[in-house]
Amino acid sequence: MSLKNLPTKQNYDELSHAYDFFNRRLFGGELPGCLFTLQRKSRSMGYFSFERFVNRDDTKSDEIALNPEYFATRPVEDVLSTLVHEQVHQWQRRFGTPPRRGYHDQEFAAKMEAIGLMPSNTGTPGGKTTGEKMSHYIMADGPFIHACKELLQTSFVIVWYDRFPVQMVKEYEFAAGTTVTVKQPTGVSAMAATEAASGMPADDDGEPVTGIASPAQKVAAVAVPLYSAPPIDGGLDVERPQSGGSGGVGVKKADGSNRTKYVCGCKNNIWGRPGLRLRCEACDTRFAAAA
C-alpha cells in the first residue's frame, strides 16, 4: 500500500480539503486552520475546542472533532454542515464574542444563518435558534448548500465510514421535494467543474486559479435534491443500526455499540454481534438473544 493510500492520510486529507474549501467560500479565508480528530462522543455530531493542541515550538491549534458513527447514516451534505457548524464556533471564538461554554447565542445564530445554516434545537424548521444543545438544518437557497454542491462536483469524497454506525432520529421529510439549482458541467472533469462553478480557471486538484482568463464551459443549470441519500443506503458494508431509545438531540442508539444482548440460563449477560452461538460454562445453557 503506497503512502497516499494510507487510510489515515486519506481520511484527514479529505476533511482538511473540505475545511479549506468552506473557509474560502464562506469565511473569506479568515479561519486559521485546525487539527482534526474523530471522536465517538455520546450525543454529539462534533465539537470545537479552542487552542486544544500545542507543538514543541509552542504553536497552538484549535481542534475540530467529528463523530464518525454518523457518517454512514446521514446525507453527505449534512455531515459537511456539521463541519461548517464547528467552523462557525471557531469564527466566533476568533472574531466575535464567545458566549459561555456550550451556549449558542444570537451572534452564533446570525452567522449560521448568514452562511446558509439555520440553527434549530430540533434540527428541523420551527425549532429554537439559541440554547445549549443546538443542531441546525440546511437552508434551501443559502451560501452553504451552493458551496457544498460545488464541492461535491469535484473529486471530494468521504472515504472511510464506521462499520457500526448510529441511526439518526432526525428526519429529512421536511426537505422532501425541496431542490437547489446548481451549475452542473456536462461531460467535463473536476477541474472544469470547478471552473464552471466558480467562474475561474482551476488547477488539476480542482482549486481555483486566479489571474487567468477562464475558457467557456458548457454548463447546465439543474435542480438537485437538497439532501442526497445516506451512504448506508448505497450498499456500504456496515451493520444496519438498531432502533432504540433516544440518544440525544437528533440521534438514537440501541446501546453503546449497536450490538446484540445475549442472556444465559443463570441470567449472565453478554453483548456481541448478531448471530453469535455461545454457551455458558456455569449453567451449561446457550446464550439466547434478549427480546
Side-chain angles (χ1 to χ4, degrees):
M1 179 180 289
S2 65
L3 178 62
K4 70 177 182 178
N5 290 327
L6 289 174
T8 298
K9 179 173 171 54
Q10 287 180 323
N11 184 72
Y12 289 105
D13 279 357
E14 291 295 322
L15 293 178
S16 295
H17 175 66
Y19 175 99
D20 291 340
F21 182 89
F22 289 122
N23 189 16
R24 294 191 303 270
R25 293 293 190 273
L26 303 177
F27 299 92
E30 288 186 313
L31 301 182
C34 70
L35 192 155
F36 278 105
T37 61
L38 297 182
Q39 303 282 352
R40 293 182 183 86
K41 185 176 180 180
S42 177
R43 305 184 181 186
S44 175
M45 307 284 182
Y47 63 80
F48 166 76
S49 185
F50 176 67
E51 292 190 346
R52 188 58 180 261
F53 289 90
V54 64
N55 67 12
R56 293 181 181 275
D57 297 328
D58 202 32
T59 300
K60 297 179 177 65
S61 174
D62 300 336
E63 175 189 21
I64 287 181
L66 297 176
N67 190 338
E69 288 183 319
Y70 300 100
F71 286 5
T73 55
R74 301 167 66 198
V76 64
E77 296 91 345
D78 209 31
V79 173
L80 291 172
S81 76
T82 294
L83 166 61
V84 173
H85 179 125
E86 304 312 327
Q87 287 180 273
V88 173
H89 280 301
Q90 185 180 36
W91 171 87
Q92 186 175 30
R93 182 62 179 81
R94 294 282 179 173
F95 305 105
T97 304
R100 71 176 185 269
R101 182 179 176 86
Y103 190 74
H104 301 71
D105 64 3
Q106 289 288 353
E107 182 181 59
F108 175 86
K111 184 64 172 179
M112 286 280 284
E113 186 171 357
I115 64 172
L117 299 177
M118 180 60 71
S120 169
N121 69 324
T122 64
T124 58
K128 295 180 180 179
T129 59
T130 60
E132 292 286 342
K133 295 184 180 298
M134 191 60 54
S135 184
H136 61 264
Y137 61 91
I138 297 172
M139 298 167 67
D141 198 34
F144 167 79
I145 192 60
H146 288 284
C148 184
K149 297 296 187 181
E150 179 185 338
L151 175 63
L152 295 177
Q153 290 182 71
T154 70
S155 59
F156 171 83
V157 66
I158 293 176
V159 182
W160 295 95
Y161 296 87
D162 192 321
R163 292 192 58 240
F164 303 97
V166 172
Q167 182 60 55
M168 295 287 298
V169 163
K170 177 179 175 180
E171 303 291 350
Y172 299 95
E173 279 80 3
F174 71 91
T178 302
T179 58
V180 56
T181 301
V182 298
K183 296 178 180 178
Q184 184 161 332
T186 57
V188 294
S189 65
M191 177 173 65
T194 300
E195 292 177 352
S198 66
M200 295 183 294
D203 59 24
D204 291 337
D205 295 323
E207 297 299 325
V209 177
T210 59
I212 305 174
S214 176
Q217 298 292 339
K218 184 179 180 182
V219 177
V222 298
V224 297
L226 184 64
Y227 293 101
S228 60
I232 194 172
D233 295 338
L236 278 178
D237 181 20
V238 299
E239 294 286 339
R240 179 64 57 172
Q242 301 176 32
S243 299
S246 176
V249 176
V251 303
K252 67 179 177 182
K253 302 177 69 171
D255 57 49
S257 62
N258 290 318
R259 301 301 183 91
T260 297
K261 178 181 178 181
Y262 297 87
V263 183
C264 71
C266 57
K267 305 303 181 184
N268 285 322
N269 300 323
I270 62 172
W271 285 260
R273 61 179 174 80
L276 289 178
R277 299 172 61 86
L278 304 168
R279 182 172 292 275
C280 176
E281 291 186 358
C283 63
D284 196 32
T285 62
R286 285 184 58 186
F287 281 93

